[in-house]
Amino acid sequence: MAGTPAAWSNWAGNQRSTAALTVRPRTVEEVVEAVRHAAGTGRTIRAVGSGHSFTATAVADGHRLDLADLDTGVTVDPARRLVTVPAGMTLHTLNDLLARHGLALPNLGDIDAQTIAGALSTGTHGTGAKLGCLSTFVTALTLVTGTGEVLRCSADEHRDVFAAARVGLGAVGVLVEVTLRCVDAFVLRAHERPAALAAVLDDLPGLVEQHDHAEFYWFPYTDRVQVKTNDRVPADDRPLPRWRGWLDDEFLSNIVFAGACRLGRAVPALAPGISAVSARALTERTYTGRSDQVFCTPRRVRFVEMEYALPRAALPTALAELRRIVDRLPFKVLFPVEVRFTAADDIWLSHGYGRDSAYIAIHQYVGMPYEPYFRAFEEVATGLDGRPHWGKLHWRTADSLATAYPKFADFQTVRKRLDPDNRFTNPYLTQVLGA
């Protein structure tokens, strides 16, 4: 187990830190040793993943714990459709592992670069009216507590810890191993099409309920959206030609879009026109593919993001207010707004706790002003009983979040028991969970 000081930054580049010590454990025993060593020196310790959170959740000003080398072994049970893996494994590696065994996760977000622990701890989600966030697929997990205890929990063992740690922000322990419920490998038929925002909102229940997965992107300064639906089909009989995949997903969505964003940053007055052209550039297409390869797409254009989970019924109001905010800003918005949907779950700090949700994600290109935009939308979302994504930018505090999450106090009770000396804290956790 090596230990050195090291600088760190997240994917977007908006969070940076230099920890006093960075440790890369290979075994659970070395994780325990690292936690106890931090305690012995009176320092905090934070586990980091691949840096895809926009908040400071992974910022370590004491010791940093990098789990990339952690090897707890891999167990695949195809008959029971269960897989047990190290928590530091990336989703991309997990997806390939599952595919080799004829399995898949029931749902995914739109990138696969996150570590499993990072994705679960922040409530990462995809879209699907009948599916919750990725943490709902967890059947058991093992963590190292703030006192160095190794604790395995599930729905039958340490149930309160299980309810807290599946979306735990790394505040109740270091996730070292996770068991996930999978499904048989499946093929998705993706249908992407341009549409009018008003027409999509008029038929929102139909869009959300009639497809396995549905989402749309609204292009600011226009009334246009790009709708994407993914549905299970029996055969991969319409694969996307390699040239079309490169043209749409690499050239247009990354290379050309990056150039458009740079132009819009240099000459903001062009932003509305760029948005209108972008809305028209993505044409209709239908294709089939392996589920994870349809869910996940490359994201090479850097941005910062805020995302709020809202009661589904609040979506039209939130979008109407968002359009007014965008039109009044003293600067321009260069990124489309993403809208997704999830089912209710019972995980204490899950954004979907106790209710079906609609998610609105707003973005801004790196180097562009964003705080007035994000704060204005946060005020709207908070008034609509919204819950901020733990890995996306927001300014909510423990006092306001305590009323947004019915089990907030229960989570705090578990946190105090498992980490009595706040070994896993940092300024972000102090902000959102309290001291």
Side-chain angles (χ1 to χ4, degrees), residues 13 56 229 242:
T229 57
R242 186 183 297 268

Side-chain angles (χ1 to χ4, degrees), residues 15-276:
Q15 303 292 347
R16 299 178 183 274
S17 70
T18 300
L21 185 71
T22 297
V23 182
R24 294 173 67 97
R26 296 181 296 271
T27 66
V28 174
E29 290 74 21
E30 289 183 349
V31 175
V32 171
E33 179 186 339
V35 171
R36 289 178 174 168
H37 178 60
T41 60
R43 292 185 179 274
T44 58
I45 184 167
R46 290 293 293 166
V48 300
S50 52
H52 272 271
S53 287
F54 299 91
T55 61
T57 183
V59 166
D61 50 11
H63 292 185
R64 180 182 302 121
L65 198 59
D66 184 338
L67 301 182
D69 294 340
L70 180 64
D71 184 4
T72 59
V74 171
T75 303
V76 181
D77 186 342
R80 298 172 62 203
R81 300 181 182 86
L82 295 174
V83 60
T84 302
V85 293
M89 178 182 287
T90 66
L91 290 173
H92 179 82
T93 300
L94 173 64
N95 291 333
D96 284 345
L97 168 70
L98 294 177
R100 293 196 297 272
H101 291 273
L103 298 171
L105 290 181
N107 200 9
L108 286 164
D110 50 17
I111 64 169
D112 58 6
Q114 309 103 311
T115 61
I116 296 167
L120 300 178
S121 296
T122 55
T124 295
H125 62 95
T127 189
K130 299 177 179 64
L131 294 162
C133 65
L134 270 60
S135 297
T136 61
F137 310 147
V138 177
T139 64
L141 56 85
T142 301
L143 55 80
V144 176
T145 72
T147 59
E149 178 186 4
V150 179
L151 195 66
R152 179 174 171 80
C153 57
S154 67
D156 301 316
E157 187 178 13
H158 301 294
R159 294 179 63 181
D160 59 343
V161 179
F162 188 61
R166 280 180 288 168
V167 180
L169 286 74
V172 297
V174 179
L175 296 185
V176 292
E177 187 175 71
V178 178
T179 300
L180 294 156
R181 171 179 52 83
C182 304
V183 295
D184 291 333
F186 60 99
V187 172
L188 284 173
R189 175 183 180 272
H191 181 209
E192 301 169 8
R193 60 180 175 86
L197 175 61
V200 169
L201 293 179
D202 284 346
D203 188 36
L204 196 60
L207 174 69
V208 175
E209 300 296 338
Q210 292 173 17
H211 295 280
D212 295 331
H213 314 272
E215 62 186 311
F216 63 89
Y217 294 82
W218 169 60
F219 294 86
Y221 313 109
T222 80
D223 61 356
R224 306 297 296 173
V225 300
Q226 183 79 1
V227 179
K228 180 178 181 180
T229 57
N230 294 327
D231 293 288
R232 293 190 182 203
V233 290
D236 186 4
D237 56 3
R238 195 170 178 177
L240 192 66
R242 186 183 297 268
W243 69 266
R244 181 67 189 271
W246 176 86
L247 177 66
D248 289 349
D249 299 327
E250 190 61 55
F251 183 70
L252 291 177
S253 297
N254 282 297
I255 298 172
V256 172
F257 185 56
C261 286
R262 287 193 296 269
L263 178 61
R265 186 172 61 188
V267 188
L270 297 178
I274 291 171
S275 190

Side-chain angles (χ1 to χ4, degrees), residues 388-401:
H389 191 297
W390 297 113
K392 313 290 176 72
L393 290 172
H394 68 95
W395 288 268
R396 298 285 288 276
T397 64
D399 288 343
S400 71
L401 292 167

Side-chain angles (χ1 to χ4, degrees), residues 395-418:
W395 288 268
R396 298 285 288 276
T397 64
D399 288 343
S400 71
L401 292 167
T403 60
Y405 289 92
K407 292 290 187 177
F408 195 84
D410 298 87
F411 181 91
Q412 297 286 36
T413 298
V414 170
R415 182 192 182 199
K416 289 175 184 176
R417 187 174 83 240
L418 298 189

Side-chain angles (χ1 to χ4, degrees), residues 265-290:
R265 186 172 61 188
V267 188
L270 297 178
I274 291 171
S275 190
V277 170
S278 297
R280 302 284 179 181
L282 296 175
T283 56
E284 185 169 9
R285 65 175 184 172
T286 301
Y287 61 95
T288 58
R290 196 176 90 181

